[in-house]
Amino acid sequence: MLKTKKRTKRTAVGIGVMAFMLLAAGCGGNDSGNKTADKTEGQPTSAATASDKGDAKSTEQAKALKDLKITRLYHGAMETFKGADTINSNRLIDKLREASGFNIQYEALPLENPSQKISIIFASGDVPDIMTIAGKSDYFKLAKQGALEPLDDLIAKEMPNVSNMAGQEALDAVKFDGKIYAIPYRQAQKVGNGLLARTDVLKELGLKEPGTLDEFYETMKTIKEKKNIAPLSIATSNPGYFFDGFTPFAAAFGVATPTKIKDGKLVFSWVQPEYKEFLETMKKWYDEGLLDQEFAIKKGTQDTLINGTAVFTPMYWGSVPEIDNALKEKKEGGTVGFIAPPVGKNGESGLQDSSISTTYIIIPKQAKNKLGAAQYLNFLYTPETDELVNYGIEGTDYTKKDGVITQTPEQSANIPWRSIYPLGDTDAGFAARLKAKGLLPYYEPLLQYKKLREETNYAPSVEAYDAKFTELRNYMEENSMKFIMGKRSLSEFDSYVKDFNAKGGQDAIDAMNAWFASK
């Protein structure tokens, strides 16, 4: 994800230039797609009738072209086709075509540098009818340059099912000049990293799972005394990884998100007095050998739990099976499990909320079949289609009795590529995939903990904030690691704050507060 952000940043300027050239050449005509669609008046169309059958809210259905081209971001499942099956030739896409009435053709952006490919597509004029793009910055630049079709009318008239994917708050966050130019790709995952522990070591030493920050400290001291290891391992060598690693502990100080609300206004968490308290505690742990001395250069921590050189580490739930299986294969064995993030002196605690996506579904202004694009999206967002793209075809890929779906691991593994076709995720679909892969036991335990919301994730593009965010985050991370390792004295924290604001921190948060005050 971080690599994607970096790639996006590098190519953003390129997109802007290409899109500007496109508009200057008059290629972004407002009505080209609709005029083409109008030529199909009188042609039989089953798209809308298939998706909205019986829907009292549906308006009189307009006619749409039958061919529909969809370009989506790369997905690893594209590598799982076997035999003669391809992204455009398999039993699932055949069913989607039959049920929707559209001759859909999917294609994928490259894994590497998709932003550059997007700029080429827009400049060529040969655009798809639906496209997914990643990155808030890219999306708002394209919207600002007039390269995207406003969706307000299409949502109102053709996409009543969009409410299954995006609430009003999410739609408001993608508005530019008061208009919606994208449907945010709904992310059903609620949380990513949790605090993983070697539960067998805690049991061996007769230790309870620590609840408060103080209990966590005392537990680590006991483990170090008994095992002579640094109990807590964190990996922060890559830009942006600092907070992924330290979130469970920063949360105990109320500074686990980039911004927080104080006295009715947004402030950067990274310059607050409580952030200094967080750093002082982490430095204490580091100085006492409780925190991995190499955390700043580590790229991963799985091995530390597997080989028993650490007992606690923040970990993405999807990576836990690798650790679990490795421990089961070891002669001496071992067990792991997520524990509650520690609670601070003011009762604060939690994990990052990861349910906000920065992937967007757009209809290009130049698209030939805008009406069909809207109607197909509406079809995708029905519960029936969601079941199809998440389970496959009933009787072949799963069975259903009294409303209960049963899919064996073998049936699920036979069509892993089905994940390509949804353009948004639902809770039911997400749970179905995790259940089929045996991942639910690793994900569900994290749902009980408080999710920490970053308010600016719901903001539209605020240039003064967005343009400076990565630079400010990198400055914070670099100096936070120095403070923890003693390479910079915490007596210089005020100077750090002054420099942070001078580098654009104050202007950025002031600009974001202009939006926040208008909510």
Side-chain angles (χ1 to χ4, degrees):
M1 181 176 178
L2 290 166
K3 291 180 179 178
T4 302
K5 286 180 178 179
K6 290 175 70 176
R7 290 194 299 269
T8 300
K9 189 75 177 176
R10 286 197 297 267
T11 54
V13 174
I15 287 180
V17 172
M18 298 294 272
F20 177 79
M21 291 172 63
L22 162 71
L23 292 173
C27 297
N30 292 349
D31 302 318
S32 58
N34 287 336
K35 285 177 180 176
T36 308
D38 289 343
K39 294 176 182 177
T40 65
E41 284 291 349
Q43 292 183 7
T45 299
S46 58
T49 51
S51 61
D52 297 330
K53 191 179 293 181
D55 187 345
K57 294 182 179 179
S58 77
T59 56
E60 181 180 353
Q61 295 302 311
K63 305 297 183 184
L65 291 169
K66 298 193 73 174
D67 291 336
L68 199 62
K69 184 178 175 183
I70 301 169
T71 299
R72 59 153 298 144
L73 292 165
Y74 175 85
H75 193 298
M78 294 170 187
E79 309 295 338
T80 62
F81 285 107
K82 295 180 181 178
D85 284 346
T86 69
I87 190 172
N88 286 310
S89 178
N90 60 70
R91 63 179 182 277
L92 189 53
I93 197 167
D94 288 345
K95 195 72 175 178
L96 286 168
R97 287 169 180 150
E98 176 188 344
S100 71
F102 285 108
N103 177 28
I104 49 174
Q105 295 289 325
Y106 276 81
E107 65 178 16
L109 294 167
L111 173 62
E112 297 294 332
N113 213 351
S115 293
Q116 184 180 47
K117 178 65 175 178
I118 289 171
S119 69
I120 293 172
I121 290 173
F122 272 90
S124 73
D126 184 18
V127 299
D129 302 297
I130 298 172
M131 177 181 275
T132 55
I133 57 176
K136 193 174 185 178
S137 176
D138 277 1
Y139 160 64
F140 277 101
K141 281 185 179 179
L142 289 170
K144 185 177 182 180
Q145 291 160 351
L148 307 181
E149 178 72 8
L151 303 182
D152 302 75
D153 287 345
L154 287 171
I155 289 173
K157 296 175 182 176
E158 304 294 341
M159 288 190 277
N161 295 327
V162 76
S163 60
N164 294 333
M165 284 290 166
Q168 192 57 52
E169 186 176 36
L171 291 173
D172 286 344
V174 298
K175 283 184 175 178
F176 174 74
D177 273 355
K179 293 183 178 180
I180 299 168
Y181 288 91
I183 297 170
Y185 190 107
R186 185 177 188 270
Q187 185 163 298
Q189 174 178 284
K190 303 294 190 298
V191 63
N193 281 9
L195 184 55
L196 193 66
R198 276 287 298 265
T199 49
D200 62 310
V201 176
L202 294 178
K203 185 177 180 180
E204 173 194 338
L205 300 179
L207 298 169
K208 295 181 179 178
E209 292 181 9
T212 67
L213 202 62
D214 290 340
E215 290 173 354
F216 193 83
Y217 171 69
E218 293 299 330
T219 300
M220 288 199 297
K221 282 181 60 177
T222 300
I223 294 171
K224 180 172 174 52
E225 179 184 331
K226 301 289 186 183
K227 293 282 188 180
N228 193 29
I229 59 173
L232 176 59
S233 186
I234 298 177
T236 66
S237 63
N238 294 321
Y241 278 32
F242 181 84
F243 255 78
D244 283 347
F246 280 95
T247 287
F249 311 105
F253 295 85
V255 289
T257 48
T259 68
K260 61 185 296 184
I261 301 172
K262 268 190 173 180
D263 301 324
K265 296 181 68 175
L266 288 172
V267 296
F268 271 114
S269 296
W270 307 329
V271 294
Q272 301 307 306
E274 52 269 37
Y275 189 75
K276 183 182 179 183
E277 292 180 25
F278 155 69
L279 292 174
E280 288 171 339
T281 298
M282 296 303 107
K283 183 178 188 316
K284 175 183 173 68
W285 293 2
Y286 180 83
D287 290 346
E288 295 183 9
L290 304 176
L291 170 61
D292 193 332
Q293 300 296 289
E294 297 183 342
F295 79 92
I297 59 173
K298 259 191 162 51
K299 291 188 177 297
T301 60
Q302 290 97 329
D303 288 348
T304 61
L305 260 66
I306 293 171
N307 62 29
T309 55
V311 175
F312 303 107
T313 189
M315 182 63 60
Y316 178 62
W317 56 266
S319 299
V320 180
E322 176 186 337
I323 300 171
D324 210 6
N325 293 332
L327 288 172
K328 288 174 182 174
E329 293 175 0
K330 286 171 69 79
K331 184 177 179 181
E332 59 270 32
T335 57
V336 290
F338 283 117
I339 63 172
V343 180
K345 62 182 181 182
N346 296 322
E348 295 175 296
S349 177
L351 301 173
Q352 283 180 318
D353 179 358
S354 63
S355 60
I356 297 300
S357 171
T358 55
T359 296
Y360 306 91
I361 301 156
I362 56 98
I363 298 176
K365 175 75 79 177
Q366 298 168 281
K368 295 181 177 66
N369 195 6
K370 299 170 189 172
L371 180 59
Q375 292 178 351
Y376 183 71
L377 287 171
N378 193 55
F379 161 77
L380 273 183
Y381 296 157
T382 62
E384 294 80 8
T385 311
D386 188 60
E387 189 172 301
L388 174 66
V389 294
N390 278 293
Y391 290 99
I393 297 172
E394 185 176 1
T396 301
D397 301 310
Y398 70 94
T399 57
K400 190 174 185 180
K401 185 177 181 181
D402 299 329
V404 178
I405 291 174
T406 300
Q407 185 174 50
T408 67
E410 291 75 20
Q411 287 175 312
S412 176
N414 201 33
I415 51 171
W417 36 262
R418 65 191 185 278
S419 303
I420 297 169
Y421 299 106
L423 291 177
D425 206 358
T426 62
D427 293 341
F430 183 66
R433 296 196 302 278
L434 265 56
K435 183 180 179 182
K437 296 176 181 176
L439 292 173
L440 272 181
Y442 301 99
Y443 173 71
E444 286 186 324
L446 296 178
L447 298 179
Q448 63 185 302
Y449 306 123
K450 181 181 179 182
K451 312 301 179 301
L452 304 172
R453 167 177 164 133
E454 170 52 43
E455 196 66 31
T456 62
N457 285 342
Y458 296 85
S461 179
V462 177
E463 189 171 354
Y465 184 92
D466 296 343
K468 280 288 179 180
F469 182 82
T470 300
E471 178 185 343
L472 292 168
R473 185 203 64 200
N474 291 346
Y475 181 74
M476 173 277 295
E477 290 192 342
E478 177 186 350
N479 283 276
S480 293
M481 287 191 278
K482 286 181 178 177
F483 284 135
I484 292 172
M485 293 188 291
K487 294 184 177 180
R488 184 174 185 182
S489 172
L490 272 162
S491 64
E492 298 179 17
F493 187 78
D494 289 346
S495 177
Y496 152 78
V497 172
K498 184 178 179 181
D499 289 344
F500 180 92
N501 287 329
K503 288 178 178 293
Q506 191 61 56
D507 289 342
I509 203 65
D510 287 346
M512 187 57 78
N513 268 305
W515 160 77
F516 188 63
S518 68
K519 283 186 67 180

